[in-house]
Amino acid sequence: MKQKEDKIILKGDIVFTPTKEKFEIHKDSYIVAENGKVVGIFKELEEKYQHYVIKDFSNKIIIPGFIDLHLHAPQYPNRGLGLDKELLPWLETYTFPEEKKYEDIQYGKKVYTKLIRELWRVGTTRCVIFSSIHKESTKLLFDLFIKSGLGAYIGKVNMDRNSPDYITEDTKKSIVDTEEIVIEYKDKSDLVKPIIAPRFAPVCTVELLESLGYLASKYNLPVESHLSENIGELAWVKELYPEFANYASVYNQYGLFGQTKTVMGHCIYNTEEEIELMAKNGVYAAHCPHSNFDLSSGIMPVRKFLDKGVPLGLGTDMAGGHCISMADVMVAAIQSSKMKWLETNKELQPITISEAFFLGTKGGGSFFGKVGSFEEGYELDALIIDDSSLADIEPLSLEERIQKFIYIGDDRNIVERYIRGRKVEEPEF
Amino acid sequence: MKQKEDKIILKGDIVFTPTKEKFEIHKDSYIVAENGKVVGIFKELEEKYQHYVIKDFSNKIIIPGFIDLHLHAPQYPNRGLGLDKELLPWLETYTFPEEKKYEDIQYGKKVYTKLIRELWRVGTTRCVIFSSIHKESTKLLFDLFIKSGLGAYIGKVNMDRNSPDYITEDTKKSIVDTEEIVIEYKDKSDLVKPIIAPRFAPVCTVELLESLGYLASKYNLPVESHLSENIGELAWVKELYPEFANYASVYNQYGLFGQTKTVMGHCIYNTEEEIELMAKNGVYAAHCPHSNFDLSSGIMPVRKFLDKGVPLGLGTDMAGGHCISMADVMVAAIQSSKMKWLETNKELQPITISEAFFLGTKGGGSFFGKVGSFEEGYELDALIIDDSSLADIEPLSLEERIQKFIYIGDDRNIVERYIRGRKVEEPEF
């Protein structure tokens, strides 16, 4: 029987989270995949799988690839800079001037090649990205992602008011450019797809929001935006949209809140009604704890969202957040939930390590379909972790080893990455 | 003129914080040092320095070495483990069982050699350490530190009640062992010195505290302990020491609160009176923000301590905190102060990047003398930072480069370490 690339077996110490409550652990076992999808996990290989390609990662940990539900590609050069400001002045002072540069596609190329290599390095196998307002740089970002083999939803940013002239779009052009990108890229790749990306309500006219909702519906495209990140932002939205019950209703009114698959970044200050609407409409929250620390935004009550059944994942929000590694974001999610626990007089329980891991894999992965887990039928996106530098004193349980990797490991511990059962090599552009 | 090892010049982009308010920056300049102490910083070299040994780190950043004011050597194997608990159950479940292992000096050797290499790796040039209760492992830790060339205060932990039997000392033996270590090591090394280390008031009898205060005074030794880390701990202290006005008074009563140089870890829940007493007695607070997040302890009001003139530095509190890098601790200090700012209705201002840098260098360094700065007369402890992997898009100012290194750099960017003007090589044991 001929060995086929699409029949692959990864052998090693397998860890994932079918549910958030605990890790599912298979010591020294085999994940069998066909056509990029998991067939099953076995302690012994049945005869019928003997001729599959077997990659032996014995003593290494195999986990699902990391999912980043919220990051801004053009802000890569600003990582770690200017975090002495809150959201709105930070946008004006650091972010918008940086994003302007992407009118130059050569600048875009310089940054985006580095960004994608960095995402590969830290084990982010799929992400939901904001580009800038620029059509050509956004197309370039699509092309580079497609070339890399990583998975992404990429959204050309739309914003047509209340911003500096140099970054404010003409409404018609914003829509036309967006539709051009959508048509060009919607069927170009299985792994890299367009998403509708109004920046956030205060910088979009009603006409723009309405048209974007129409495009989302017309092409059945997902939507990404920002919601309730900062107290100043809330007041601004209230002032601009006085007739709406709340911030979420603005997006909801224009078909940008779960009418198609939707993910909203931050969600720190949502009202109970908004959280219920998210649960009802199946709108994802992308929790970005490092960003929320870095920009003095506040602490999202993650437990409340989990309890109410809002679909949830994690995001770096690079460069509002300085980190690009989802393992770092998992730790920050745990830490911030502990501070929220104290703040709520121990009412909202902190999230556990398995919950944080779930959010950064299967929780966010579900935005992409059956992604982020090793259950049967899931796409085999995996990271191979060599933790020998971490578990270096006495033997540890596999649960302890995964804890150590999440808390104190880094990209040096990630030795291979797989997406849909295929190894992804370091991107060369 | 003969070149001498004790006459050294480091050339590069020099950054440090004489005051916390801002970075002092000398682009492409020379730090001249003699006998391990800074003579001055110069843009051009005078004739009289021409024959010094010049180390050329052009285009690299030269900063003071990092100072960790609070960490637990025997908890190294527990980094990243067991952080689902608060302080007191965490001690019982994870920490004490681990610390028991150091009755075996071979186990101690296995861990401490790795720990010291790791501290070297992340650029911690001086630290204030808790060992375990064990005399022999503590002596080993002294010997290994002396061999490494890194600077440290090392304290054999004292605890003689309210702990599991296997980790509870006989009071007399605790004192005798401590004094033996002090006598053996007080003059053995210029860089590695003993410190008195009652674990914390609830696990020490009055007799023990009294004797330790006496030892501190008799040999003029510094003191390290823990203060007001966790709400449960506060209640316990109140119950055990009902006659005292507050937690700090317990230490103060027994000569362990600034009668000699003293540093107290955490200080999250101090009363105004306690903070004033710290300022008056010159007692240092070691702010350990990652630990305070990880163990759900709370957020220290750093700004209040700064405003009241309490001497202040940063600590990893490894393994209550999962991180061992002081750059990570600086970032967490900024982040946690931002959450405190929100929590106090924007009364207590967040700390800035230069303030965090100050705390992790000169602030903590002052516990060791003239350490942590490049002002004239300061000991030349320095890290050489190659940030070419971080500042890789467009030219950045030196202030931006240092921000990037603190926020997103890691040990890979640290290419050399100097203590007292001498290069410290990777420790080989």
Tab-separated table of all heavy atoms in Angstrom, chain B residues 310-338:
chain	number	residue	atom	x	y	z
B	310	VAL	N	8.775	55.218	50.635
B	310	VAL	CA	9.246	53.887	51.031
B	310	VAL	C	10.241	53.401	49.973
B	310	VAL	O	9.943	53.454	48.782
B	310	VAL	CB	8.068	52.887	51.133
B	310	VAL	CG1	8.586	51.479	51.474
B	310	VAL	CG2	7.049	53.353	52.153
B	311	PRO	N	11.430	52.940	50.373
B	311	PRO	CA	12.350	52.393	49.370
B	311	PRO	C	11.746	51.145	48.722
B	311	PRO	O	11.121	50.337	49.415
B	311	PRO	CB	13.621	52.064	50.157
B	311	PRO	CG	13.246	52.074	51.594
B	311	PRO	CD	11.979	52.876	51.742
B	312	LEU	N	11.936	51.015	47.417
B	312	LEU	CA	11.137	50.044	46.693
B	312	LEU	C	11.928	49.387	45.570
B	312	LEU	O	12.691	50.045	44.873
B	312	LEU	CB	9.942	50.795	46.087
B	312	LEU	CG	8.711	50.036	45.650
B	312	LEU	CD1	8.013	49.400	46.840
B	312	LEU	CD2	7.743	50.988	44.952
B	313	GLY	N	11.740	48.085	45.441
B	313	GLY	CA	12.304	47.367	44.309
B	313	GLY	C	11.308	46.321	43.848
B	313	GLY	O	10.185	46.245	44.351
B	314	LEU	N	11.724	45.518	42.863
B	314	LEU	CA	10.841	44.489	42.313
B	314	LEU	C	11.394	43.093	42.609
B	314	LEU	O	12.601	42.912	42.760
B	314	LEU	CB	10.720	44.653	40.799
B	314	LEU	CG	10.165	45.974	40.287
B	314	LEU	CD1	10.170	45.992	38.756
B	314	LEU	CD2	8.753	46.222	40.812
B	315	GLY	N	10.476	42.130	42.652
B	315	GLY	CA	10.897	40.749	42.838
B	315	GLY	C	10.081	39.813	41.971
B	315	GLY	O	8.941	40.105	41.614
B	316	THR	N	10.693	38.685	41.627
B	316	THR	CA	9.923	37.677	40.895
B	316	THR	C	9.041	36.886	41.852
B	316	THR	O	8.002	36.377	41.463
B	316	THR	CB	10.852	36.667	40.207
B	316	THR	OG1	11.684	36.059	41.205
B	316	THR	CG2	11.708	37.326	39.147
B	317	ASP	N	9.494	36.754	43.121
B	317	ASP	CA	8.890	35.789	44.041
B	317	ASP	C	8.776	34.416	43.385
B	317	ASP	O	7.855	33.662	43.662
B	317	ASP	CB	7.530	36.237	44.565
B	317	ASP	CG	7.050	35.335	45.705
B	317	ASP	OD1	7.895	34.780	46.421
B	317	ASP	OD2	5.813	35.160	45.837
B	318	MET	N	9.686	34.073	42.506
B	318	MET	CA	9.671	32.704	41.996
B	318	MET	C	9.620	31.750	43.177
B	318	MET	O	10.386	31.897	44.096
B	318	MET	CB	10.939	32.485	41.164
B	318	MET	CG	10.925	31.160	40.452
B	318	MET	SD	12.567	30.448	40.315
B	318	MET	CE	13.058	30.140	41.955
B	319	ALA	N	8.696	30.762	43.266
B	319	ALA	CA	7.786	30.314	42.272
B	319	ALA	C	6.325	30.677	42.586
B	319	ALA	O	5.416	30.113	41.993
B	319	ALA	CB	7.894	28.804	42.125
B	320	GLY	N	6.114	31.614	43.534
B	320	GLY	CA	4.771	32.175	43.655
B	320	GLY	C	4.460	32.920	42.365
B	320	GLY	O	3.330	32.929	41.873
B	321	GLY	N	5.488	33.543	41.824
B	321	GLY	CA	5.416	34.110	40.479
B	321	GLY	C	6.076	33.143	39.509
B	321	GLY	O	7.107	32.552	39.837
B	322	HIS	N	5.494	32.980	38.338
B	322	HIS	CA	6.035	31.975	37.420
B	322	HIS	C	7.266	32.466	36.651
B	322	HIS	O	8.021	31.667	36.128
B	322	HIS	CB	4.956	31.524	36.435
B	322	HIS	CG	4.510	32.588	35.475
B	322	HIS	ND1	3.626	33.587	35.820
B	322	HIS	CD2	4.842	32.830	34.196
B	322	HIS	CE1	3.432	34.379	34.783
B	322	HIS	NE2	4.155	33.944	33.783
B	323	CYS	N	7.427	33.791	36.571
B	323	CYS	CA	8.510	34.351	35.752
B	323	CYS	C	9.808	34.438	36.515
B	323	CYS	O	9.813	34.668	37.716
B	323	CYS	CB	8.151	35.770	35.327
B	323	CYS	SG	6.948	35.830	34.033
B	324	ILE	N	10.900	34.329	35.806
B	324	ILE	CA	12.200	34.520	36.443
B	324	ILE	C	12.912	35.734	35.852
B	324	ILE	O	13.924	36.176	36.381
B	324	ILE	CB	13.042	33.231	36.319
B	324	ILE	CG1	14.195	33.257	37.319
B	324	ILE	CG2	13.504	32.992	34.889
B	324	ILE	CD1	14.844	31.913	37.533
B	325	SER	N	12.337	36.311	34.800
B	325	SER	CA	12.962	37.476	34.160
B	325	SER	C	12.440	38.776	34.767
B	325	SER	O	11.237	39.021	34.838
B	325	SER	CB	12.662	37.473	32.663
B	325	SER	OG	12.744	38.795	32.163
B	326	MET	N	13.362	39.635	35.176
B	326	MET	CA	12.949	40.910	35.768
B	326	MET	C	12.320	41.839	34.737
B	326	MET	O	11.535	42.719	35.109
B	326	MET	CB	14.138	41.593	36.443
B	326	MET	CG	14.615	40.893	37.699
B	326	MET	SD	13.303	40.680	38.944
B	326	MET	CE	12.849	42.381	39.262
B	327	ALA	N	12.636	41.673	33.459
B	327	ALA	CA	11.963	42.490	32.444
B	327	ALA	C	10.466	42.168	32.443
B	327	ALA	O	9.623	43.063	32.367
B	327	ALA	CB	12.575	42.243	31.068
B	328	ASP	N	10.140	40.867	32.560
B	328	ASP	CA	8.727	40.482	32.649
B	328	ASP	C	8.067	41.063	33.895
B	328	ASP	O	6.891	41.433	33.876
B	328	ASP	CB	8.599	38.951	32.695
B	328	ASP	CG	8.957	38.290	31.378
B	328	ASP	OD1	8.955	38.985	30.346
B	328	ASP	OD2	9.241	37.083	31.382
B	329	VAL	N	8.829	41.127	34.977
B	329	VAL	CA	8.275	41.679	36.219
B	329	VAL	C	8.036	43.181	36.082
B	329	VAL	O	7.032	43.710	36.578
B	329	VAL	CB	9.193	41.359	37.416
B	329	VAL	CG1	8.726	42.073	38.677
B	329	VAL	CG2	9.242	39.846	37.653
B	330	MET	N	8.935	43.865	35.383
B	330	MET	CA	8.720	45.303	35.140
B	330	MET	C	7.400	45.521	34.395
B	330	MET	O	6.614	46.407	34.744
B	330	MET	CB	9.867	45.884	34.308
B	330	MET	CG	11.190	45.964	35.046
B	330	MET	SD	12.505	46.567	33.916
B	330	MET	CE	13.963	46.269	34.939
B	331	VAL	N	7.169	44.723	33.376
B	331	VAL	CA	5.931	44.865	32.599
B	331	VAL	C	4.716	44.586	33.493
B	331	VAL	O	3.735	45.333	33.476
B	331	VAL	CB	5.936	43.922	31.373
B	331	VAL	CG1	4.578	43.916	30.689
B	331	VAL	CG2	7.025	44.345	30.391
B	332	ALA	N	4.788	43.527	34.281
B	332	ALA	CA	3.657	43.201	35.166
B	332	ALA	C	3.435	44.298	36.200
B	332	ALA	O	2.299	44.571	36.594
B	332	ALA	CB	3.893	41.854	35.847
B	333	ALA	N	4.517	44.944	36.637
B	333	ALA	CA	4.373	46.044	37.602
B	333	ALA	C	3.596	47.196	36.974
B	333	ALA	O	2.729	47.805	37.606
B	333	ALA	CB	5.745	46.522	38.072
B	334	ILE	N	3.903	47.478	35.715
B	334	ILE	CA	3.175	48.538	35.006
B	334	ILE	C	1.712	48.127	34.837
B	334	ILE	O	0.786	48.891	35.129
B	334	ILE	CB	3.812	48.815	33.630
B	334	ILE	CG1	5.241	49.344	33.808
B	334	ILE	CG2	2.964	49.800	32.828
B	334	ILE	CD1	6.035	49.415	32.511
B	335	GLN	N	1.516	46.897	34.370
B	335	GLN	CA	0.143	46.422	34.132
B	335	GLN	C	-0.679	46.450	35.411
B	335	GLN	O	-1.824	46.906	35.427
B	335	GLN	CB	0.179	45.010	33.558
B	335	GLN	CG	0.760	44.928	32.147
B	335	GLN	CD	0.682	43.525	31.559
B	335	GLN	OE1	0.787	42.529	32.275
B	335	GLN	NE2	0.523	43.431	30.256
B	336	SER	N	-0.122	45.945	36.502
B	336	SER	CA	-0.925	45.869	37.725
B	336	SER	C	-1.202	47.271	38.254
B	336	SER	O	-2.276	47.538	38.791
B	336	SER	CB	-0.268	44.953	38.757
B	336	SER	OG	0.760	45.593	39.446
B	337	SER	N	-0.248	48.192	38.064
B	337	SER	CA	-0.502	49.564	38.541
B	337	SER	C	-1.611	50.228	37.722
B	337	SER	O	-2.325	51.098	38.222
B	337	SER	CB	0.781	50.394	38.481
B	337	SER	OG	1.100	50.767	37.155
B	338	LYS	N	-1.754	49.810	36.457
B	338	LYS	CA	-2.847	50.337	35.628
B	338	LYS	C	-4.197	49.841	36.142
B	338	LYS	O	-5.184	50.583	36.139
B	338	LYS	CB	-2.631	49.943	34.163
B	338	LYS	CG	-1.498	50.739	33.498
B	338	LYS	CD	-1.132	50.210	32.111
B	338	LYS	CE	-0.083	51.121	31.453
B	338	LYS	NZ	0.433	50.569	30.181
